[in-house]
Amino acid sequence: MDENRKTPLFDLHVALGGKIVGFAGYDLPVQYTGVLPEHLHTRTKAGLFDVSHMGQCVVAGPSYAAVAQALESLIPVDIAGLADGRQRYGFLTNDAGGIRDDLMLARRGDSVFMVVNAACKAADIAHIRAHLPDGVKLTEVTDRALLALQGPLAENALATLNPAARSMRFMDVIDMALAGVTCWVSRSGYTGEDGYEISVPAAQAEPLAVALLDLPDVAPIGLGARDSLRLEAGLCLYGHDIDDTTTPVAAGLTWAIQKVRRPGGARAGGYPGADIIGAELADAPPTARVGLLPDGRAPMREGVEIFADADAQTPIGRITSGGFGPTVQRPVAMALIDRGFAAPGTALCAELRGKRLPVTVAAMPFTPANFKR
């Protein structure tokens, strides 16, 4: 069996006492002091995450218009209208309208910088390259690490290294000098908190991480708390809450499809599965992603089946992500269920170890977002 790959921060994780696990082909820390304290530290102060396993790539061509046109043939969001120095969320779709992967897109001059999920990056890059026209090229960025600084004190922490961090808005992207090296910085992240994602040359990743961790409010955070934070924030995890069989409409991600790309819009369709997704925008599909609040203190994990009531014979869906929410102090979950049962407040049952236990459909996020608008 091939060994897992290591990020430029691997030695630092070990030195900090990180518990290393395999994830998406990489050795990464699942925790340092524990998921609960790391989660709460991020919600109240600032946490530093190593997300260097994510795929980074740049799509460039003769003009931004050419790049945007090429990418809009694969991604149903408004890329042509993206202002320089701005970022947005998007997804690659397949011919059945399913989500091949979700990703972030940032306009940097005439090019687009993309961050894709680690487990999908090889397939994503091959898929995009296979569909780019002559003159438009995707280059994988393999010489940079990626850090995420998240939490209500993230701005104060990063501004200690460069005051320009304070003036950034949510989804702004700029080049910024940090610890003596130029980084590509976005004001974004995947915890529901304010924060930044920082693409840094690999050789300078550890010095930058150490400079941030030397600040009194910054602590290293592992994969365990990253998962519990994004779950409380109601954010999807690819391969669990969304996959190539889930459409953006079923997933509740229609907010990411701008009006200009919808039926009747100036640049409607033209991407894989456009007819199916367009039809679902007009007439919602039979399933929906929802939040669930289980009764009691026992977390309910992925795969648990959901039923309309204690006596129903046929499940109406299943949990796609679940666990204990440290901020809300109770179990939380996401599920894909029949749309007829998706209204918040609907009482349902989950089957856990042969017992039907009550759950309630709930609005997401479970904890309010804290983005800097």
Side-chain angles (χ1 to χ4, degrees):
M1 181 182 290
D2 293 338
E3 287 189 3
N4 285 329
R5 299 170 68 180
K6 293 173 172 54
T7 74
L9 295 179
F10 176 80
D11 290 343
L12 180 60
H13 298 317
V14 173
L16 293 170
K19 180 182 177 182
I20 305 299
V21 299
F23 180 80
Y26 285 80
D27 283 331
L28 290 163
V30 66
Q31 63 181 48
Y32 299 90
T33 59
V35 173
L36 178 65
E38 291 171 28
H39 178 114
L40 295 175
H41 186 95
T42 305
R43 285 274 185 254
T44 57
K45 295 184 179 180
L48 185 67
F49 303 76
D50 180 9
V51 288
S52 304
H53 57 300
M54 306 284 279
Q56 302 181 64
C57 52
V58 174
V59 181
S63 65
Y64 181 72
V67 170
Q69 183 177 16
L71 289 176
E72 285 191 0
S73 73
L74 300 172
I75 301 169
V77 305
D78 178 12
I79 302 172
L82 192 58
D84 193 9
R86 293 288 290 165
Q87 175 177 263
R88 67 178 22 134
Y89 174 81
F91 27 77
L92 294 160
T93 54
N94 61 26
D95 290 340
I99 300 172
R100 297 180 63 107
D101 196 12
D102 61 340
L103 46 82
M104 298 300 297
L105 305 130
R107 180 176 177 181
R108 302 182 72 248
D110 285 340
S111 65
V112 169
F113 172 59
M114 301 171 61
V115 176
V116 301
N117 285 302
C120 303
K121 65 182 174 183
D124 288 352
I125 289 168
H127 171 69
I128 294 169
R129 280 178 172 159
H131 292 87
L132 291 179
D134 290 344
V136 179
K137 181 181 178 182
L138 181 151
T139 302
E140 185 177 6
V141 178
T142 58
D143 60 351
R144 300 180 77 89
L146 192 64
L147 308 180
L149 181 67
Q150 300 283 290
L153 300 184
E155 178 185 284
N156 288 341
L158 199 61
T160 303
L161 302 185
N162 190 323
R166 294 194 187 280
S167 61
M168 294 178 71
R169 298 166 298 156
F170 182 55
M171 291 294 197
D172 274 353
V173 180
I174 66 172
D175 288 359
M176 183 185 295
L178 295 170
V181 62
T182 299
C183 299
W184 306 341
V185 180
S186 65
R187 193 157 196 166
S188 60
Y190 221 61
T191 61
E193 293 297 328
D194 184 23
Y196 305 84
E197 292 197 335
I198 305 163
S199 178
V200 53
Q204 281 77 45
E206 184 171 325
L208 175 58
V210 169
L212 288 165
L213 291 169
D214 280 346
L215 299 172
D217 294 319
V218 181
I221 311 296
L223 292 170
R226 180 172 168 83
D227 189 53
S228 59
L229 288 158
R230 69 90 198 165
L231 175 57
E232 280 190 343
L235 300 171
C236 295
L237 178 62
Y238 191 81
H240 302 264
D241 309 297
I242 53 175
D243 59 25
D244 59 6
T245 69
T246 317
T247 68
V249 185
L253 299 175
T254 55
W255 56 266
I257 305 176
Q258 290 75 30
K259 184 177 180 181
V260 71
R261 301 304 315 279
R262 297 183 179 215
R267 296 193 313 284
Y271 57 86
D275 290 348
I276 293 169
I277 293 170
E280 288 189 352
L281 286 166
D283 187 10
T287 56
R289 179 174 65 95
V290 299
L292 291 179
L293 293 175
D295 280 12
R297 302 289 288 177
M300 295 184 180
R301 308 289 181 182
E302 179 179 359
V304 169
E305 291 187 323
I306 306 299
F307 294 82
D309 55 51
D311 300 315
Q313 297 298 305
T314 304
I316 59 166
R318 63 177 182 85
I319 289 178
T320 55
S321 287
F324 188 79
T327 311
V328 296
Q329 285 291 293
R330 63 172 300 160
V332 294
M334 280 193 267
L336 197 66
I337 66 171
D338 292 350
R339 187 170 292 273
F341 299 91
T346 303
L348 302 171
C349 287
E351 188 162 290
L352 193 63
R353 292 185 287 275
K355 293 183 178 180
R356 297 280 175 94
L357 301 175
V359 298
T360 304
V361 177
M364 292 186 287
F366 301 107
T367 188
N370 194 28
F371 304 131
K372 174 90 176 256
R373 298 294 183 179

